[in-house]
Amino acid sequence: MLLRHTPEAIRERRALTINPAKTCQPIGAMYAALGIHRCLPHSHGSQGCCAYHRSTLTRHFKEPVMAATSSFTEGASVFGGQSNLIQAIDNIFTVYEPDVIAVHTTCLSETIGDDIPQISRKAQAEGKIPPGKFVIHANTPSYVGSHVTGFANMTKAMADYFAERGGKRLEQINIIPGYVEPSDMEEIRRIAAEMGVRAVVFPDTSNVLNRPQTGKFEMYPRGGVSIEALRSAGSSKCTVALGRTASWPAARALDVKCNVHCELLDLPIGLTATDAFIDVLRRVAGVSVPDSINLERGRLLDIVTDMHQYFYGKKLGLVGDPDQLVSLAEFLVSIDMWPIHIVTGTPGRKFESRIREITRGVPHEVNVTAGGDMFLFHQWIKNDPVDLIMGNTYLKYIARDEDIPLVRFGFPILDRVGHGYFPTVGYRGGMRLLEKILDALLDRKDRDAPEEAFELVL
Amino acid sequence: MSAIHEGKAAPAAEAIDPAAVKQELIAKYPTKVARKRGKQIIVNRVGEDCSVPEIGANTRTIPGIITQRGCSYAGCKGVVLGPTRDLVNLTHGPIGCGFYSWLTRRNQTRPATPEEANFMPYCFSTDLQDEDIVFGGEKKLRAAILEAYDIFHPKAISIFATCPVGLIGDDIHTVAKEMKERLGINVFAFSCEGYKGVSQSAGHHIANNGIFKHVVGLDDTSREGKYRINLLGEYNIGGDAFEIERVLEKCGITLVATFSGNSTYEQFASSHMADLNTVMCHRSINYVAEMMERKFGIPWIKTNFIGAGSAAKSLRKIAKYFEDRELSDRVEEIIAEEMVEVEKVQAEVRARCEGKLAMLFVGGSRAHHYQDLFAEIGMRTISAGYEFAHRDDYEGRRVLPDIKVDADSRSIEELEVHPDPDRYRPRKTAEQIAELKRDGLSFNDYEGMMVRMADGTLVIDDISQYETERMIETYKPAIFCAGIKEKYAVQKKGIPMKQLHSYDSGGPYAGFKGAVNFYREIDRMVNSRIWSYLKAPWQTNPELAATYACE
């Protein structure tokens, strides 16, 4: 038993977090920044933060993750990080030649109160920022929110810094895909293209964090949203923000700054959330839904109707990020599965009420918490076992100890591949999710079946 | 001629002028940066008296230059205290630091019974929120310690400070003292804020000082055994310590404590009962060996269990120290027994690896130790360097008096250590030590990495991402060793990359079985077919294809 010290009896904890279901803002900001073409993320603090974030993103994506740091030592912590950042900006533009440096703060630089825009202005005045190059920033203290908040803040910075209100509205819409995999961002772009919708997708980490092996390392690969596209986002007809936590701040910023109308949707994971996404695209872009999309939808539905008996009434435990969990839970409920223990580490009241609403019809007591941890989740499972758990890699300890199948979903997934290449959004993503869920359940069924009941045909 | 040949096959390494390579590595940097890097990139030359050129090391990382380095917290919590299973390691700070250092299996551990405490799969954090930063986090820390105690009843709780905790001035040491009295278990704290020092090395120092101050010497229970040693600086990555423990046990040598891999709180507490300290990673722990000698009278020697030859040499050193015929015979017997399989695989693998080039940029002793393993299969290390070493790790301890102490080093506490009035017991007389030295056993010494490397090899301290790329383009090594952050950037260039911090879930690589594992792993990597498929048939020159067809 790896988690042998986790007791069944649940005690209230006010101060101690055990096995967190979230991490800190800067890693989300770093991930988002990688979704701008020719951008080098920069961590303003001591170098350990940057090392940790790069390591975790690298382990998750199995791809190069480049980012620089201000490398604070004690001096900078006492006297402020201005000279470190100016020096860093100079070195980065000289050595790595990005078009954009996306600075995010850490708890260290936040606590001492470094003013990034002021430091950038100084760097600009001193000629450290070459013409046509940019330094953007987001405040991401680690003691607020979670990695999802950090992602949201850096995405918002893209709108704040680049979006411009042009003279006339362009025939295009903005899609903010949320804290999802590069494969998901690619799929969202594909769906828009399939529908004939011109879309600015930002951030866009596809082809940055799921790039091919070519024998060449490129510091700035082909992917990422261009500055040009980000500028034009201010003139788009509409913004479709996917996921309240990760995408709403940027969408609202675009509305305030450039008067771009915004539609807030759930992440298009599963049937109904994808329906809503397609429907909104159709309405705001004034296009009709092509047959190819109907075909994909029909196939997803087909799996559900064919395999319903294996889904029905199965109890599930979910750990993950709020936007993902909302859509995932809704999908599971829609196919008559019962998510009964749901934990996100990211704080936020709205999450709990949304999940309560979604699971209202589940004929079982449902535990849900925002700001919870995996220790509590494990205790819930000990008290009320489930048939399947879904969440990041850290759940494998619980899966092993409690002998429950696990479907990996969310962030980080350190011990499997595929998430960077195969989407879980859209109808095709839904099919992949169902395949994974069925594989896990049916493998377990086969494993546990007595010989006389071992099925060849389903 | 340019030293760097972009896109072309590298000429023989000998044909490349290392001084020109160095110039090209720093040519792109702004002047100040170039000057600094110039001191950290050294063309090796070993003098007749074993002297080596001076290298710049343990200096600040240059802001904006992409580095391999981590922080003090990572060194303290992640590296040194992380592998001790029965401690509740509580990170006091926002959630990130605790989350990222929750590496669960990088260091393996094997509790003796299913009931024994093992908190390594757990991550404990006070998860500070903005109101705690404004009003102070001590109250939350106290409450978290109480909660941890109530749920887990550990033998000891250790507290780790993160950056903001140092800035807001939470007095973690007073809280620890208070809770120690209140709970009746050992509670101690580490001021290992990430900004301290210039790399994770500072954190190792803070961690070791803390264990030495708060734990070592608390338990005078002595383990049975004729030859009792401690293993210092061995973190049981990929099960290395398990293999070393196996070999030691076979030889009849008792391992009192490992600092710190497969380790327990009690081992630390009674480690002063050992009769010899053997130091694996010089960088992370040499000062503990020094302090234990001064306080308890335990001599120390440098050992290295990476490489079959090195492991054999280290076993012989230990046997020599105990001056016992029975032990020496036993050690020789075991070496002979273990070497049968090692030599068989070595010969087989050598046939496929001979003459290939390796580069190692890892840690603070690993870039040295692993060169032995490569040499055993005929591979040459063309360039190496440490991520967080000090000058003595490169140049040997003889330069210790010349190392200038700067402000960043001064922020790390130096303990003043005196002989323990009750526990000091010299294990050897001065005459015995002198005799052993005459006999070739060196005490309190590490000769450093550079003296072991060929002339003309490039020794690079704190290598940057840019330099890594250029070195690969220049030499096109058969394999590059570093950490996870470097891994995929190197592999995208078509060069296999072996992690030597976490072993890519492989290992063990220490000892004899470890050597066999490593030979096979490197053989697999440098001789893999996959690297020959980087270009699709239609991407290679069609004319060339036609020639082949005619032939």
Side-chain angles (χ1 to χ4, degrees):
Chain A
M1 296 287 274
L2 287 154
L3 300 170
R4 65 187 74 176
H5 304 291
T6 305
E8 220 168 280
I10 299 172
R11 282 172 200 247
E12 199 198 357
R13 279 175 287 130
R14 288 159 189 271
L16 181 67
T17 293
I18 314 169
N19 299 353
K22 64 167 177 185
T23 183
C24 64
Q25 283 209 66
I27 195 171
M30 186 182 282
Y31 177 51
L34 288 164
I36 304 175
H37 185 56
R38 293 192 64 82
C39 172
L40 190 73
H42 182 86
S43 165
H44 187 53
S46 56
Q47 68 218 11
C49 306
C50 186
Y52 273 144
H53 303 146
R54 288 181 63 209
S55 294
T56 304
L57 291 174
T58 304
R59 290 190 174 105
H60 176 82
F61 293 109
K62 320 282 179 225
E63 289 288 338
V65 174
M66 291 299 141
T69 161
S70 293
S71 290
F72 277 33
T73 56
E74 269 193 329
S77 308
V78 175
F79 301 113
Q82 173 168 293
S83 82
N84 286 51
L85 185 53
I86 291 178
Q87 200 191 342
I89 289 171
D90 188 21
N91 286 333
I92 289 169
F93 281 127
T94 310
V95 181
Y96 304 107
E97 301 170 16
D99 287 349
V100 187
I101 298 174
V103 181
H104 59 260
T105 56
T106 59
C107 26
L108 173 51
S109 53
E110 277 293 324
T111 309
I112 62 176
D114 275 354
D115 179 349
I116 308 298
Q118 174 266 317
I119 300 174
S120 300
R121 279 196 300 273
K122 193 161 188 309
Q124 186 89 55
E126 290 176 11
K128 307 284 196 221
I129 305 175
K133 308 270 185 173
F134 306 91
V135 175
I136 68 170
H137 95 288
N139 290 94
T140 50
S142 313
Y143 37 80
V144 174
S146 76
H147 56 292
V148 190
T149 326
F151 181 94
N153 284 337
M154 186 53 84
T155 307
K156 176 176 177 291
M158 295 173 200
D160 285 340
Y161 273 91
F162 293 116
E164 283 171 6
R165 177 72 200 266
K168 113 176 188 285
R169 289 279 166 215
L170 299 171
E171 272 307 310
Q172 67 178 25
I173 61 160
N174 304 321
I175 304 180
I176 308 180
Y179 200 129
V180 291
E181 295 286 335
S183 48
D184 294 321
M185 298 187 186
E186 203 164 86
E187 179 68 359
I188 284 164
R189 262 196 294 122
R190 186 193 68 86
I191 290 172
E194 194 78 18
M195 293 182 64
V197 176
R198 224 180 105 192
V200 173
V201 177
F202 75 92
D204 181 2
T205 57
S206 59
N207 288 321
V208 179
L209 290 166
N210 59 358
R211 61 226 234 197
Q213 171 61 280
T214 57
K216 273 199 198 112
F217 167 69
E218 286 163 296
M219 189 97 174
Y220 309 107
R222 208 157 48 92
V225 62
S226 67
I227 304 298
E228 195 75 357
L230 279 175
R231 279 204 177 116
S232 77
S235 307
S236 296
K237 275 168 75 176
C238 170
T239 301
V240 177
L242 302 175
R244 173 182 293 278
T245 327
S247 302
W248 181 234
R252 212 174 41 188
L254 271 171
D255 193 1
V256 170
K257 188 177 175 192
C258 305
N259 203 18
V260 182
H261 166 72
C262 170
E263 298 267 353
L264 174 64
L265 296 177
D266 290 336
L267 278 177
I269 293 169
L271 186 68
T272 53
T274 306
D275 284 350
F277 175 56
I278 301 285
D279 205 41
V280 161
L281 282 188
R282 179 183 68 92
R283 280 194 291 107
V284 299
V287 294
S288 53
V289 178
D291 274 350
S292 57
I293 297 278
N294 288 324
L295 185 83
E296 288 170 20
R297 185 179 192 275
R299 283 180 176 155
L300 171 62
L301 215 52
D302 193 52
I303 296 182
V304 181
T305 51
D306 290 351
M307 306 306 260
H308 184 259
Q309 60 171 316
Y310 302 106
F311 298 128
Y312 179 78
K314 289 283 187 300
K315 290 190 282 179
L316 269 76
L318 315 176
V319 177
D321 297 338
D323 296 348
Q324 273 97 333
L325 288 185
V326 163
S327 299
L328 181 66
E330 192 174 45
F331 184 33
L332 297 170
V333 170
S334 77
I335 59 173
D336 295 317
M337 296 186 96
W338 300 346
I340 61 165
H341 307 308
I342 304 167
V343 170
T344 185
T346 301
R349 281 254 171 81
K350 280 211 173 68
F351 173 78
E352 289 179 20
S353 56
R354 251 331 278 289
I355 294 285
R356 292 255 170 247
E357 213 173 278
I358 289 165
T359 55
R360 198 182 296 139
V362 170
H364 196 283
E365 196 197 328
V366 173
N367 291 313
V368 53
T369 179
D373 57 31
M374 291 194 203
F375 185 78
L376 175 64
F377 178 76
H378 192 179
Q379 292 184 308
W380 280 348
I381 286 176
K382 280 181 182 287
N383 286 286
D384 191 355
V386 293
D387 301 297
L388 179 75
I389 53 179
M390 294 180 75
N392 69 36
T393 286
Y394 286 93
L395 284 184
K396 77 191 274 182
Y397 289 81
I398 298 173
R400 183 183 155 110
D401 277 5
E402 305 299 334
D403 194 21
I404 303 170
L406 162 66
V407 168
R408 285 166 181 78
F409 176 83
F411 178 85
I413 296 172
L414 309 171
D415 62 337
R416 294 292 187 273
V417 292
H419 46 276
Y421 301 105
F422 309 113
T424 55
V425 300
Y427 300 120
R428 299 212 303 203
M431 289 164 71
R432 175 164 175 262
L433 264 179
L434 291 187
E435 185 199 12
K436 281 171 128 4
I437 291 170
L438 276 168
D439 279 351
L441 291 173
L442 295 176
D443 280 349
R444 170 54 50 93
K445 186 173 145 63
D446 281 345
R447 195 197 80 178
D448 294 344
E451 289 185 5
E452 69 278 10
F454 189 66
E455 288 281 2
L456 184 71
V457 183
L458 295 174
Chain B
M1 188 188 84
S2 159
I4 292 170
H5 304 259
E6 203 135 9
K8 291 186 204 131
E14 289 75 18
I16 302 172
D17 173 11
V21 176
K22 175 177 170 172
Q23 285 317 309
E24 291 211 33
L25 286 182
I26 57 178
K28 195 169 189 185
Y29 290 131
T31 322
K32 265 192 189 164
V33 178
R35 201 178 305 134
K36 183 164 182 197
R37 291 304 297 153
K39 291 181 189 153
Q40 291 172 278
I41 303 174
I42 298 297
V43 179
N44 195 35
R45 193 155 309 279
V46 184
E48 272 176 24
D49 57 345
C50 290
S51 64
V52 289
E54 181 177 330
I55 187 167
N58 195 34
T59 54
R60 291 181 184 183
T61 317
I62 302 161
I65 299 297
I66 300 176
T67 171
Q68 298 185 310
R69 283 178 170 174
C71 66
S72 180
Y73 167 85
C76 182
K77 196 272 174 181
V79 176
V80 178
L81 271 305
T84 301
R85 63 175 167 264
D86 54 354
L87 283 174
V88 162
N89 284 327
L90 173 60
T91 298
H92 184 40
I95 200 65
C97 305
F99 181 88
Y100 303 117
S101 59
W102 179 23
L103 276 173
T104 59
R105 205 214 74 132
R106 177 189 127 137
N107 312 93
Q108 298 184 10
T109 201
R110 200 182 272 159
T113 63
E115 291 75 38
E116 201 187 305
N118 177 14
F119 299 114
M120 275 165 65
Y122 291 87
C123 163
F124 303 96
S125 169
T126 50
D127 187 8
L128 292 183
Q129 299 298 304
D130 48 356
E131 64 269 20
D132 304 314
I133 300 298
V134 175
F135 300 111
E138 287 178 20
K139 211 168 119 195
K140 197 170 189 190
L141 175 61
R142 252 182 238 115
I145 293 170
L146 271 182
E147 288 172 3
Y149 181 76
D150 283 346
I151 299 172
F152 300 100
H153 299 287
K155 293 174 193 121
I157 297 176
S158 42
I159 304 153
F160 302 87
T162 58
C163 292
V165 164
L167 293 178
I168 63 175
D170 276 1
D171 187 351
I172 55 172
H173 300 284
T174 301
V175 172
K177 220 171 129 200
E178 215 181 287
M179 298 312 282
K180 183 179 174 173
E181 277 158 27
R182 182 160 165 194
L183 300 175
I185 59 164
N186 203 353
V187 183
F188 43 96
F190 298 91
S191 290
C192 56
E193 294 86 349
Y195 53 74
K196 288 233 171 112
V198 301
S199 73
Q200 48 269 62
S201 170
H204 305 150
H205 210 139
I206 292 163
N208 286 316
N209 282 351
I211 297 177
F212 190 78
K213 246 176 29 186
H214 297 291
V215 188
V216 173
L218 289 183
D219 177 5
D220 291 333
T221 319
S222 178
R223 278 197 68 182
E224 291 291 307
K226 227 167 140 187
Y227 324 106
R228 288 171 305 181
I229 70 164
N230 293 323
L231 202 53
L232 307 188
E234 164 45 53
Y235 302 100
N236 201 24
I237 293 167
D240 275 351
F242 296 152
E243 165 65 4
I244 301 174
E245 285 165 24
R246 179 188 74 84
V247 175
L248 291 176
E249 200 182 295
K250 242 176 127 178
C251 294
I253 298 164
T254 306
L255 187 61
V256 178
T258 306
F259 285 67
S260 43
N262 195 28
S263 44
T264 62
Y265 175 76
E266 266 109 22
Q267 282 184 16
F268 293 156
S270 62
S271 58
H272 62 292
M273 303 304 285
D275 292 322
L276 174 68
N277 276 331
T278 63
V279 174
M280 286 276 288
C281 174
H282 174 262
R283 176 66 268 133
S284 58
I285 206 153
N286 68 80
Y287 30 83
V288 170
E290 297 275 301
M291 293 191 293
M292 284 179 81
E293 177 156 27
R294 220 165 300 150
K295 188 166 179 180
F296 303 110
I298 310 173
W300 70 271
I301 58 173
K302 173 79 175 74
T303 52
N304 169 20
F305 282 89
I306 302 295
S310 311
K313 205 168 137 189
S314 296
L315 287 174
R316 289 189 179 116
K317 273 185 175 178
I318 295 168
K320 182 177 264 181
Y321 169 82
F322 283 106
E323 300 178 278
D324 183 298
R325 184 63 194 270
E326 197 187 316
L327 178 62
S328 316
D329 289 350
R330 183 85 188 125
V331 159
E332 289 307 326
E333 203 180 301
I334 302 299
I335 292 173
E337 197 181 303
E338 297 280 336
M339 284 304 283
V340 176
E341 174 71 5
V342 170
E343 278 163 6
K344 198 183 106 210
V345 180
Q346 210 177 73
E348 182 200 321
V349 169
R350 196 180 183 110
R352 289 187 291 265
C353 296
E354 184 90 56
K356 291 188 190 292
L357 301 185
M359 288 186 182
L360 298 96
F361 292 92
V362 241
S365 279
R366 286 174 180 262
H368 171 187
H369 292 167
Y370 275 83
Q371 294 186 31
D372 295 350
L373 267 172
F374 280 114
E376 285 172 0
I377 49 172
M379 288 180 63
R380 283 192 297 146
T381 302
I382 192 71
S383 183
Y386 292 136
E387 184 178 348
F388 49 75
H390 302 196
R391 273 183 61 200
D392 46 323
D393 303 303
Y394 289 104
E395 300 173 50
R397 289 175 66 87
R398 64 159 105 175
V399 301
L400 278 176
D402 305 338
I403 296 178
K404 282 189 227 97
V405 180
D406 59 16
D408 292 316
S409 304
R410 260 191 216 103
S411 65
I412 317 300
E413 182 190 24
E414 276 298 331
L415 296 185
E416 207 178 301
V417 180
H418 302 289
D420 187 294
D422 304 318
R423 296 179 181 85
Y424 182 83
R425 178 170 61 83
R427 272 42 173 199
K428 297 268 180 193
T429 62
E431 292 74 41
Q432 281 173 313
I433 296 272
E435 176 64 32
L436 282 168
K437 277 186 179 165
R438 264 197 303 280
D439 216 21
L441 184 64
S442 67
F443 287 91
N444 309 20
D445 192 30
Y446 173 44
E447 59 178 357
M449 180 179 86
M450 287 165 84
V451 73
R452 309 283 298 178
M453 290 184 71
D455 283 357
T457 49
L458 280 157
V459 180
I460 306 177
D461 181 63
D462 183 23
I463 195 171
S464 73
Q465 168 61 29
Y466 171 74
E467 291 153 10
T468 300
E469 272 186 61
R470 302 307 277 167
M471 286 298 287
I472 290 172
E473 283 155 15
T474 309
Y475 289 98
K476 298 220 177 337
I479 195 158
F480 192 94
C481 303
I484 187 68
K485 298 190 295 296
E486 295 76 40
K487 184 174 177 80
Y488 300 101
V490 171
Q491 292 200 164
K492 279 283 193 285
K493 281 180 165 297
I495 306 285
M497 151 66 224
K498 179 70 194 168
Q499 282 193 75
L500 288 185
H501 293 289
S502 76
Y503 295 172
D504 295 301
S505 302
Y509 298 138
F512 301 102
K513 286 198 173 15
V516 169
N517 285 342
F518 194 75
Y519 303 154
R520 293 223 182 276
E521 172 75 346
I522 297 306
D523 180 28
R524 171 188 74 77
M525 294 181 81
V526 303
N527 293 309
S528 166
R529 285 169 205 275
I530 199 66
W531 305 108
S532 65
Y533 300 129
L534 292 180
K535 288 219 180 316
W538 54 90
Q539 289 169 328
T540 49
N541 190 333
E543 282 165 4
L544 205 62
T547 317
Y548 283 132
C550 290
E551 284 165 3

